[in-house]
Amino acid sequence: MAILVLVDEGRIDLDRPVLGDLADRHGWSLADPRMRAITVRQLLAHTSGLAASLPSFFDSPMATPDQAVGQVLALPLVDEPGRSFTYANVNFVLLGRLLQDVTGLDFATASRRLVLDPLGLSSFATVGTADRPAGDAHHWTRAGRNYMELLAAAGAWIASASDVARLVASIESGGVLSPTTRAAMLDPSSTGPLEGGWTYGLGVRLFPDGSYGHSGTLESSRSMALHLPDGTTVAVLVNGEVPKVTDDLIATIDWAATTLGR
């Protein structure tokens, strides 16, 4: 949403190749010359062709986000930019760096000024993997993990469930986005991994029944935020191992909406 606000302001062009400039500014080597053609839209839509980045950010932790990004950019593209969908956290880490470069602020501060403060959402914060803010529900992590530090703009946020719901609801109500960028956000830019299943817009999952939102999974946390076709927005944040598959929360939300009413 912060990137799209900058698009509205004319400070970012969705269809301008951007990865080459980012790599040059930050000292990343590009293994595949086609990477220089990757656009902002493709990073938002996970159609950049960059390799899925789970090992870099979760299974073999680096010391810094730059090292994790460098490891991914040292791999060849898995497909031509714009051709297919591959969910990769590195796309949003790169967008966080773009946000920083364009605004002159770190990605969290820029996000607050562009999105969170205008919407009155005060619970959002960026934290480290082992941080335990006052009042936070307990969640466990294996010793030595640093994935939230490495994920940065792709996963270092925490917030209350109600503020997450308000953030997603603001897409429908107008919020900080113009009608043009809102339409771009909700326009299917690629198919998801299942034929006939969900598709993907710009930063949001789009479901066949008209719902949209996003999921998130970290070691002992699962989250799902959905805007439903009747205008209701629901966010569920769970600490623990149930459900094992985060997308099972979709059925829980549907059951609650049908059985308990809204």
Side-chain angles (χ1 to χ4, degrees):
M1 290 177 74
I3 291 291
L4 291 176
V5 170
L6 293 178
V7 171
D8 278 333
E9 294 178 353
R11 301 168 70 184
I12 285 179
D13 183 341
L14 276 175
D15 295 307
R16 183 177 72 84
V18 70
L19 184 51
D21 290 344
L22 278 172
D24 292 343
R25 282 197 298 271
H26 297 286
W28 294 311
S29 296
L30 301 179
D32 192 322
R34 296 174 296 173
M35 291 177 179
R36 290 191 171 271
I38 293 172
T39 66
V40 176
R41 187 188 300 273
Q42 290 161 355
L43 292 172
L44 281 167
H46 294 282
T47 58
S48 64
L50 292 170
S53 45
L54 285 175
S56 298
F57 291 97
F58 292 98
D59 299 332
S60 55
M62 306 287 105
T64 67
D66 276 358
Q67 288 182 332
V69 169
Q71 189 178 69
V72 176
L73 297 183
L75 301 172
L77 292 178
V78 297
D79 204 348
E80 291 287 336
R83 179 181 290 173
S84 63
F85 174 90
T86 299
Y87 194 94
N89 288 300
V90 69
N91 289 311
F92 272 54
V93 177
L94 290 166
L95 287 168
R97 192 55 59 89
L98 177 64
L99 193 60
Q100 171 185 305
D101 290 353
V102 172
T103 64
L105 305 168
D106 65 84
F107 80 87
T109 301
S111 298
R112 289 190 187 95
R113 294 190 183 180
L114 295 169
V115 177
L116 300 173
D117 290 348
L119 294 176
L121 304 178
S122 59
S123 73
F124 280 81
T126 54
V127 298
T129 309
D131 291 347
R132 298 290 185 271
D136 194 22
H138 176 72
H139 60 280
W140 62 264
T141 60
R142 281 177 279 171
R145 301 306 296 275
N146 65 340
Y147 44 78
M148 292 185 80
E149 290 85 349
L150 297 180
L151 287 168
W157 290 103
I158 62 170
S160 68
S162 57
D163 270 3
V164 172
R166 290 186 184 100
L167 178 67
V168 175
S170 77
I171 299 171
E172 194 68 22
S173 64
V176 296
L177 300 180
S178 72
T180 300
T181 52
R182 176 190 174 277
M185 190 179 202
L186 300 180
D187 183 36
S189 56
S190 66
T191 58
L194 299 177
E195 186 69 28
W198 55 271
T199 58
Y200 206 85
L202 301 182
V204 288
R205 293 172 64 183
L206 310 172
F207 296 90
D209 68 351
S211 300
Y212 62 81
H214 218 288
S215 56
T217 307
L218 286 170
E219 206 160 17
S220 63
S221 301
R222 287 97 174 89
S223 59
M224 180 68 67
L226 287 177
H227 180 81
L228 304 176
D230 72 349
T232 305
T233 304
V234 181
V236 179
L237 313 182
V238 179
N239 285 343
E241 293 302 304
V242 178
K244 190 68 174 176
V245 178
T246 300
D247 272 19
D248 287 349
L249 289 172
I250 297 173
T252 302
I253 291 171
D254 289 343
W255 174 85
T258 301
T259 306
L260 304 178
R262 296 178 170 89

